[in-house]
Amino acid sequence: MPLHNTEDLKAGPTSPIESEVHNDATDSYRFPEARHDSQAVYRTIHDQLVLDGNSQQNLATFCTTWIEPEVKQLMDESADKNMIDKDEYPQTAAIEERCVHMLADLWNSPAAASTIGCSTTGSSEAAMLGGLALKWNWRKRRRAQGKSTGAPNLIMGPVQVCWHKFCRYFDVEIREVPMQGDRLLLTPEEVLKRCDENTIGVVVTLGVTFTLQFEPVHAISLALDKFHADSGLDIPIHVDGASGAFLAPFLQPDLLWDFRLPRVKSINASGHKFGLAPLGVGWALWREQHDLPEELIFDVNYLGGNMPTFALNFSRPGGEIICQYYNFLRLGKQGYREIQTECAALGRTLAEQIAAFGPFRIIYNGDGGIPGICWELKDPASSSFTLYDFADRLRERGWLVPAYSMPPNREDLVIQRILIRHGFTREMASQLLIEMQSILDHFAQNPPSPESSLALATADTSQHNHSGR
């Protein structure tokens, strides 16, 4: 979560209630002394939240921004359910277990009825659990061989920040393959250059945050099979399917990326992205039970029953998991396929129309990866505006379409990205295109000053990373 420093708080009180807790002398907040009327407090907070952006116009986020009324009702009914307390809420625990096995079936586990897995607060926690299992299994193999366990490394391409956190927090060397030229994804050749006896695994991303493209899981698996035959080193794959694990089964059912590949030992996914659940649920699954070391599972009995748990936290809400189950039952494969297919088709349509504007070169057109598009300026040096200018003008009109520079070795490449999610309609897309054309017309008549463009670029790259999940 973001870290907050009270020295940075500058917003003043917006109501008499907040005047009591806001200290003008120090620009900080004091805990209130008295209680207040519930409706007055509600109205105070409600009126502030109106100032937030419209989530339907947030085309930067991968996360769910539209849910059915029944989901809202279930969330309300589940507000008091603690997911960790399986003895007190056995039906919620049973629903979680059903979801795990449904996903195991969806991801072609060889034994879906007995596959081991768990829910998490999101795909970042699930990714870390997958990484921990890789590290523990590697360490067990090394100890059995009487070899050192002091220098584990993990190979990956351009990844979301959770993998940087994992490697730093759990003392694993990160071997992140940098982008180079037109190569913006992990490739088998780059993986093999970095493999050695201390490699705990390879993270392959099914939907790269920066460009939305799927990395070639099958090709990397085949390369590691050959590497195993030649060197004797058996290196597992973890698939970061934060978005793609809820897309590929419906959009590309023949794509080999999941547990059909024996080298894929674990998968993480976000239920609250293209799984269509409310914010706050992710999933981690392992191909077979022995792929999750028993040493990582804790048994606790102080909530009334003996419960195994594998997580980075403890108490967490159960409503999101219940609503994930609702979506599985409500939509089934047919419903998910229809929704994801429409989102992907809309992404391809937008790509064609944005390319037709003229100044933009499409990097990803929505085909074969996450529903969405990303583009760069064809000729940044001679353009009268930057993508930061373009993003800023769109934000003024309520649309969040992020512009950002790429990771190391390609910081020179600045792109913009749109995510197409359930709830973003063709009518909304048409309105967005009208706004984009209007801004381009405005720039043609009133080009931004170089100073403002530079300020925007500096602000976006140094203070805010809009490429995040």
Side-chain angles (χ1 to χ4, degrees):
M1 65 178 65
L3 297 178
H4 299 285
N5 186 334
T6 55
E7 293 179 359
D8 297 331
L9 291 173
K10 300 299 181 186
T14 60
S15 74
I17 291 176
E18 289 199 327
S19 295
E20 178 185 332
V21 300
H22 185 261
N23 186 325
D24 291 323
T26 61
D27 274 341
S28 63
Y29 287 83
R30 296 178 292 115
F31 204 91
E33 295 291 341
R35 60 188 298 171
H36 297 89
D37 176 73
S38 60
Q39 282 300 309
V41 173
Y42 167 79
R43 179 53 58 184
T44 295
I45 298 172
H46 173 84
D47 290 346
Q48 291 181 50
L49 295 178
V50 171
L51 301 176
D52 275 344
N54 177 6
S55 64
Q56 292 297 95
Q57 291 182 283
N58 181 357
L59 305 184
T61 183
F62 291 71
C63 298
T64 299
T65 55
W66 185 89
I67 55 177
E68 291 187 314
E70 292 81 2
V71 170
K72 294 181 180 179
Q73 186 175 347
L74 283 170
M75 288 290 287
D76 183 56
E77 294 170 358
S78 305
D80 60 344
K81 296 185 185 295
N82 186 351
M83 190 61 247
I84 197 63
D85 196 345
K86 294 176 171 53
D87 189 61
E88 179 67 19
Y89 308 111
Q91 196 56 44
T92 300
I95 285 173
E96 178 193 30
E97 183 177 4
R98 289 174 206 160
C99 287
V100 166
H101 296 302
M102 286 175 158
L103 289 173
D105 174 65
L106 185 67
W107 297 339
N108 294 292
S109 167
S114 60
T115 296
I116 193 166
C118 62
S119 65
T120 63
T121 54
S123 59
S124 291
E125 181 187 3
M128 291 195 188
L129 299 184
L132 283 170
L134 291 177
K135 181 178 179 181
W136 252 248
N137 279 328
W138 168 83
R139 191 166 63 182
K140 287 167 65 176
R141 292 194 300 270
R142 297 284 290 176
R143 285 175 175 170
Q145 298 166 356
K147 296 181 179 179
S148 170
T149 61
N153 68 71
L154 184 61
I155 299 170
M156 61 195 73
V159 289
Q160 202 260 1
V161 69
C162 72
W163 288 107
H164 292 261
K165 290 181 179 179
F166 168 78
C167 289
R168 187 179 301 178
Y169 293 169
F170 296 104
D171 199 20
V172 174
E173 177 194 350
I174 185 170
R175 293 187 175 178
E176 186 175 10
V177 178
M179 295 179 175
Q180 186 174 26
D182 292 331
R183 181 181 53 73
L184 305 179
L185 302 173
L186 190 65
T187 64
E189 296 75 20
E190 295 299 324
V191 167
L192 295 183
K193 289 177 185 178
R194 293 161 175 80
C195 289
D196 61 30
E197 63 179 5
N198 291 318
T199 301
I200 67 174
V202 177
V203 176
V204 188
T205 305
L206 205 68
V208 171
T209 299
F210 304 98
T211 62
L212 310 182
Q213 297 162 298
F214 289 176
E215 291 184 330
V217 183
H218 188 204
I220 291 172
S221 178
L222 290 175
L224 289 172
D225 288 344
K226 186 176 186 304
F227 182 77
H228 180 202
D230 294 342
S231 68
L233 296 176
D234 191 5
I235 298 176
I237 288 175
H238 172 91
V239 174
D240 183 347
S243 295
F246 276 106
L247 291 167
F250 310 112
L251 294 177
Q252 303 178 66
D254 296 328
L255 182 69
L256 291 177
W257 67 273
D258 54 17
F259 293 131
R260 286 170 290 182
L261 300 174
R263 194 162 296 280
V264 173
K265 302 301 183 184
S266 51
I267 300 171
N268 70 272
S270 271
H272 61 230
K273 293 189 176 71
F274 289 89
L276 309 181
L279 282 164
V281 60
W283 302 96
L285 269 69
W286 286 264
R287 187 174 191 275
E288 298 178 77
Q289 289 203 18
H290 65 261
D291 293 318
L292 174 58
E294 293 182 1
E295 299 91 330
L296 292 174
I297 301 173
F298 288 81
D299 287 295
V300 298
N301 62 7
Y302 43 78
L303 293 177
N306 190 56
M307 292 167 290
T309 176
F310 180 35
L312 297 182
N313 61 0
F314 198 64
S315 294
R316 55 192 171 89
E320 291 85 343
I321 294 160
I322 293 168
C323 293
Q324 181 80 89
Y325 184 59
Y326 168 87
N327 279 328
F328 289 175
L329 298 184
R330 164 83 168 90
L331 298 172
K333 291 183 179 180
Q334 177 188 4
Y336 271 98
R337 187 179 302 111
E338 290 173 354
I339 290 170
Q340 316 297 34
T341 298
E342 171 59 18
C343 288
L346 182 52
R348 292 191 293 270
T349 299
L350 270 178
E352 293 175 1
Q353 294 175 309
I354 290 173
F357 285 144
F360 307 123
R361 184 181 77 84
I362 303 298
I363 294 174
Y364 168 68
N365 68 355
D367 188 28
I370 298 174
I373 49 177
C374 63
W375 66 87
E376 64 175 327
L377 284 172
K378 286 181 179 177
D379 190 359
S382 63
S383 175
S384 64
F385 66 94
T386 70
L387 291 182
Y388 297 110
D389 297 319
F390 197 57
D392 189 55
R393 294 289 295 187
L394 283 168
R395 185 188 289 267
E396 289 176 2
R397 303 180 188 205
W399 297 99
L400 182 56
V401 182
Y404 52 90
S405 61
M406 299 296 266
N409 278 30
R410 285 309 318 267
E411 295 99 331
D412 60 301
L413 176 59
V414 176
I415 71 174
Q416 270 188 290
R417 183 195 68 205
I418 287 177
L419 269 298
I420 309 296
R421 304 180 313 278
H422 186 36
F424 182 72
T425 65
R426 289 185 178 268
E427 291 75 13
M428 294 173 68
S430 296
Q431 185 59 44
L432 172 64
L433 290 168
I434 291 172
E435 298 282 11
M436 294 175 77
Q437 182 63 68
S438 175
I439 292 169
L440 290 174
D441 293 342
H442 174 81
F443 283 155
Q445 301 296 323
N446 307 279
S449 67
E451 293 78 12
S452 65
S453 298
L454 179 61
L456 281 169
T458 304
D460 272 50
T461 57
S462 65
Q463 297 179 23
H464 304 286
N465 178 2
H466 292 300
S467 65
R469 293 184 180 179

